[in-house]
Amino acid sequence: MLAFCSCSLTYRADTSSVEDDVPDVTFSDVRFLRYAAGRKHAAFSAAYIEQYRGGRRMYAQTVQFALFDDAGAAETSGACGLLAFDRTTGIYELYDDISLVNVPRAVSLTAHLLRWNERTEQLTSGRNDNITLVKDNTTVRGAGFSASAVSNTFLFTGAVSGTIISADKEAAAVSSEGTVP
């Protein structure tokens, strides 16, 4: 009787996906300034940053940022608990206690989840995610938010409610289902 036995041992695990899961670079207590054409263009700070595979993906915690106009005045500022950025897609995802302020338009926005597409210049929330938008004496809360920096318009696709305070200081509550341009 003749019997053959064989076994195969793998002494080294496949590490091809490990590079995707381990950050290339980490930073703590980060502050960046970006200059373009000799002018301050952006400021960014974070408590912690992880950068993956040649800078294609980045994650940051406790983030604050500001974008500046050509005269050096703050144009947009914001903060969030977590920021994820994918350079390949140009998508920024902001999470946890998000606040954004657009100074020239005197508009502020708060949310828990937003996505910014730098290629299409679109800011969107999830279909059921609520955001609060405040401009002057008007506060609007709604779901399914999208805004275009190109056309300077915004839209809610879900339920919307809000408050408008008129010049004589009377408050009027508004509530609507559907789309509000």
Side-chain angles (χ1 to χ4, degrees):
M1 172 193 263
L2 184 61
F4 290 99
C5 289
S6 72
C7 73
S8 173
L9 298 176
T10 302
Y11 294 100
R12 185 177 68 101
D14 180 16
T15 60
S16 61
S17 68
V18 171
E19 291 178 5
D20 290 336
D21 297 334
V22 177
D24 287 341
V25 179
T26 60
F27 301 97
S28 294
D29 195 23
V30 177
R31 291 182 190 8
F32 290 113
L33 292 175
R34 180 177 177 199
Y35 286 84
R39 295 186 185 120
K40 183 167 54 171
H41 177 68
F44 176 89
S45 67
Y48 184 76
I49 295 178
E50 295 178 345
Q51 188 172 323
Y52 291 79
R53 300 228 22 184
R56 290 191 305 249
R57 290 183 301 133
M58 179 197 72
Y59 300 92
Q61 290 179 327
T62 316
V63 176
Q64 293 184 333
F65 61 90
L67 303 174
F68 301 92
D69 64 16
D70 290 339
E75 191 170 54
T76 301
S77 62
C80 65
L82 179 66
L83 171 71
F85 173 60
D86 186 329
R87 184 179 307 233
T88 308
T89 62
I91 303 290
Y92 292 82
E93 293 181 344
L94 294 82
Y95 301 92
D96 302 334
D97 299 320
I98 302 162
S99 65
L100 297 174
V101 176
N102 183 286
V103 177
R105 293 184 179 103
V107 174
S108 66
L109 183 141
T110 57
H112 293 288
L113 168 66
L114 289 172
R115 287 177 194 85
W116 170 253
N117 184 323
E118 71 179 359
R119 294 185 177 119
T120 63
E121 297 187 37
Q122 297 286 315
L123 181 67
T124 59
S125 72
R127 178 179 298 212
N128 298 316
D129 295 324
N130 287 305
I131 67 105
T132 301
L133 185 71
V134 177
K135 178 169 176 57
D136 300 324
N137 295 323
T138 303
T139 302
V140 178
R141 289 172 202 82
F145 176 78
S146 65
S148 170
V150 175
S151 65
N152 194 25
T153 59
F154 67 93
L155 173 75
F156 289 96
T157 60
V160 175
S161 65
T163 303
I164 300 170
I165 300 176
S166 64
D168 59 4
K169 306 293 183 201
E170 291 180 29
V174 276
S175 181
S176 173
E177 295 286 334
T179 304
V180 177

